[in-house]
Amino acid sequence: MSVPTIKFYVREGLLPAGELTSPNQASYGETHVQRLRLIRALLDVGGLSVAAIREVILAIDDSGRPVHKVLGTVADRMVPRYDREPGAGIAEARGQVGALIAARGWRVHPESPAAEALAVALEALEEVGHGAFTEALDTYADAAERVARADLEYVAHHVAREELVESVVVGTVMGDAIFSALRRLAQTDASDRVFGGAR
Amino acid sequence: MSVPTIKFYVREGLLPAGELTSPNQASYGETHVQRLRLIRALLDVGGLSVAAIREVILAIDDSGRPVHKVLGTVADRMVPRYDREPGAGIAEARGQVGALIAARGWRVHPESPAAEALAVALEALEEVGHGAFTEALDTYADAAERVARADLEYVAHHVAREELVESVVVGTVMGDAIFSALRRLAQTDASDRVFGGAR
DNA sequence: CATCATAGATAGTGGCGCTATCAGATAGCG
DNA sequence: CGCTATCTGATAGCGCCACTATCTATGATG
C-alpha cells in the first residue's frame, strides 16, 4: 500500500486525512488502517468503483442518517446502474420482476436499482434466446431468501450503529463474491458428475 | 450498436467478419446478430472484459474441445483473477476453503480460480474484522448447491453441443447477475421488516 | 456521372485507478 | 548548527480499456 495511493484515497474522500503534527508530518491511527482495509476489500473483492466507495463511506459516516436509509444507499451503490432506453423487451421484463416481487410478498420498491438490474438481466436472457432460464427463477429466489436471512442473522449480532452499518456493507459486498465463488464450485462439481470425461 | 463498434469486435476476434460481397460491401446474417447479443449480454450484464469474452467465445467455437474442458475454461474466465502474494492470512483461508470442499464432498480442484477467489474473499473478511461472517458459510453453500442444481437442470434441456455450451455460459454469467439482484431485493425486504423506519 | 456510403486501417478519446514529479518544510543525525 | 533524507500537498502524467474519429480507396446508388 504505497503512500501516494493513500494520499490519493484522502483526496478522493475515501479516507480522512492524518492528524498533522507539523506542516510536513501527519500521524495515522488504527482507524485509518481499518478504513484502508475496508477500502481494499470493497475495491478488490467487491469490485466497487472509487466513486461508489466514496458514497458508501459518506453514508456510513453520516451518523445523522437513519439506518434503513443508509442501508438503502449502500445497496443502491453496489449494483451497477443501467440507464436503459425504453424498449419493448425491458417493459415485459419489468412486469416479470413486479410479478415476482408480488408473489414473494417482498416489500421493496419495484423501481429500485436491484429490481431494474434484475429486469435488465432477464431481458438480456430473452434477447440471447435463453428466456427459458427463468424456469429457475423460483429456485434462485428461494436461495436468495435463505441467504438474506442468514445475512440478517449475522448483522443482528451487531448493536452499535457504526458496527451495524459496516457489517451490512461488508456482508452485502463480500457476500456476493462469496456466493459467486461457491456457486462456481458447486457447478463444477455438478457438471463433473454429469459430463465428467464423457461427451 | 454503431458500425465502428462492430468492426472493433471483429478486430478483437469476438465476432466473425461479414462475408465480403464486394471490396466495400459485407453481408451479416442472423448468426452475427445473435453473437452480438451474446457479446453485449456478457459485457453489460455479466461484466466480462473483452479479453475474457474472446477466450470464452474461442472455447465455444472450438468444436474439437471436450465439453467439460470448455465448461472449465468458461468458469475460469469468469472469475476475476487474483494473484495474491503469499501471506499468513490467505493460507488459513485456503485451508478453510479446502475443509469446506471436503465437507461438501465437492469434486473440485482446491486450486481452481473459484476456490482461490473464495479464499481471497474469506481472508478479506477476516482482515476487515468480520471473520465471524463465515458462520453463514454453510447456508451460502447450501444455497449455492440448490442453484447449481437448477442450473444443471436447465442445461440438461439442451442436447446439441453448440447449444449446451452456450446455455452454460449464459446461465453462469447471467445467473450471477440475477442472483445478486435477487439477494439485494430479499435483503431489502428482510432489512425493512427489521429496521423499517425505526432505529 | 456525381454523390454518398462502406470497408479496412490507424490513430485518438475519455474514464478510471493510480503514480511520478516538484517545491516547500522539517526531522534527525553528526 | 548544518546538511541530507524524508514527508506534505499539489499538479500533471501514465497505463489499461472500451470504444470512436478520421482517412483513403472503392464501389453502390439515384
Side-chain angles (χ1 to χ4, degrees), chain B residues 48-63:
Chain B
L48 297 207
S49 71
V50 165
I53 295 175
R54 176 172 43 233
E55 292 189 65
V56 167
I57 279 179
L58 281 178
I60 291 179
D61 288 348
D62 177 2
S63 54

Side-chain angles (χ1 to χ4, degrees), chain A residues 34 37-38 41 44-46 65-68 71 75-76 78-80 82 84 97 100-101 104-109 112 114-115 117-118 120-122 124-125 127-137 139-152 154-155 157-161 163-164 166-168 170-199, chain B residues 34 37-38 41 44-46 65-68 71 75-76 78-80 82 84 97 100-101 104-109 112 114-115 117-118 120-122 124-125 127-137 139-152 154-155 157-161 163-164 166-168 170-199:
Chain A
Q34 210 46 36
R37 280 202 254 263
L38 177 61
D44 293 344
V45 181
R65 198 183 300 197
V67 167
H68 72 282
L71 306 191
D76 290 355
M78 281 171 353
V79 36
Y82 300 102
R84 211 66 169 180
V97 171
L100 177 74
I101 289 175
R104 290 273 154 186
W106 284 341
R107 303 195 207 149
V108 298
H109 205 73
S112 66
L118 181 55
V120 168
L122 294 181
L125 267 181
E127 288 267 293
V128 171
H130 286 270
F133 188 77
T134 51
E135 289 166 11
L137 208 52
T139 305
Y140 270 68
D142 279 344
E145 276 183 359
R146 282 161 188 273
V147 163
R149 258 197 303 272
D151 291 336
L152 212 70
Y154 171 70
V155 164
H157 295 170
H158 303 273
V159 281
R161 190 209 117 100
E163 272 183 357
L164 173 70
E166 203 194 276
S167 70
V168 171
V170 169
T172 306
V173 176
M174 313 297 270
D176 264 15
I178 290 172
F179 182 83
S180 163
L182 285 171
R183 183 164 94 104
R184 210 77 77 240
L185 291 174
Q187 276 176 343
T188 305
D189 173 62
S191 159
D192 256 32
R193 289 174 192 274
V194 177
F195 303 115
R199 200 47 172 315
Chain B
Q34 210 48 34
R37 281 201 253 264
L38 177 62
D44 293 343
V45 182
R65 198 183 300 197
V67 167
H68 73 283
L71 306 191
D76 290 355
M78 282 172 354
V79 163
Y82 301 102
R84 212 66 168 178
V97 171
L100 178 73
I101 290 174
R104 291 272 154 187
W106 284 341
R107 303 192 204 151
V108 298
H109 206 71
S112 65
L118 180 55
V120 168
L122 293 181
L125 267 182
E127 288 266 295
V128 173
H130 287 271
F133 188 77
T134 50
E135 289 166 10
L137 207 53
T139 304
Y140 270 68
D142 279 343
E145 275 184 359
R146 282 161 189 273
V147 163
R149 258 197 302 271
D151 291 337
L152 212 71
Y154 171 69
V155 164
H157 295 169
H158 303 272
V159 281
R161 190 208 116 100
E163 272 183 357
L164 175 69
E166 203 194 276
S167 70
V168 172
V170 169
T172 306
V173 177
M174 313 297 271
D176 264 15
I178 290 172
F179 182 83
S180 164
L182 285 171
R183 183 165 94 103
R184 210 77 78 240
L185 291 175
Q187 277 175 343
T188 304
D189 173 62
S191 160
D192 257 31
R193 290 173 191 276
V194 176
F195 304 115
R199 208 25 177 330

Side-chain angles (χ1 to χ4, degrees), chain A residues 12-146:
Chain A
E12 293 292 319
L14 306 190
L15 187 68
E19 194 186 343
L20 274 184
T21 62
S22 96
N24 72 338
Q25 217 70 6
S27 98
Y28 296 83
E30 189 53 37
T31 59
H32 290 93
V33 177
Q34 210 46 36
R35 176 57 59 90
L36 270 177
R37 280 202 254 263
L38 177 61
I39 292 170
R40 296 311 315 186
L42 298 183
L43 209 52
D44 293 344
V45 181
L48 297 207
S49 71
V50 166
I53 295 176
R54 176 173 41 234
E55 293 189 63
V56 167
I57 280 180
L58 281 178
I60 291 179
D61 288 348
D62 177 2
S63 53
R65 198 183 300 197
V67 167
H68 72 282
K69 289 233 169 195
V70 175
L71 306 191
T73 303
V74 171
D76 290 355
R77 286 307 159 273
M78 281 171 353
V79 36
R81 280 205 171 278
Y82 300 102
D83 37 336
R84 211 66 169 180
E85 69 267 25
I90 190 66
E92 193 195 322
R94 274 197 267 256
Q96 214 174 337
V97 171
L100 177 74
I101 289 175
R104 290 273 154 186
W106 284 341
R107 303 195 207 149
V108 298
H109 205 73
E111 276 148 42
S112 66
E116 186 61 16
L118 181 55
V120 168
L122 294 181
E123 191 211 358
L125 267 181
E126 192 66 48
E127 288 267 293
V128 171
H130 286 270
F133 188 77
T134 51
E135 289 166 11
L137 208 52
D138 259 336
T139 305
Y140 270 68
D142 279 344
E145 276 183 359
R146 282 161 188 273

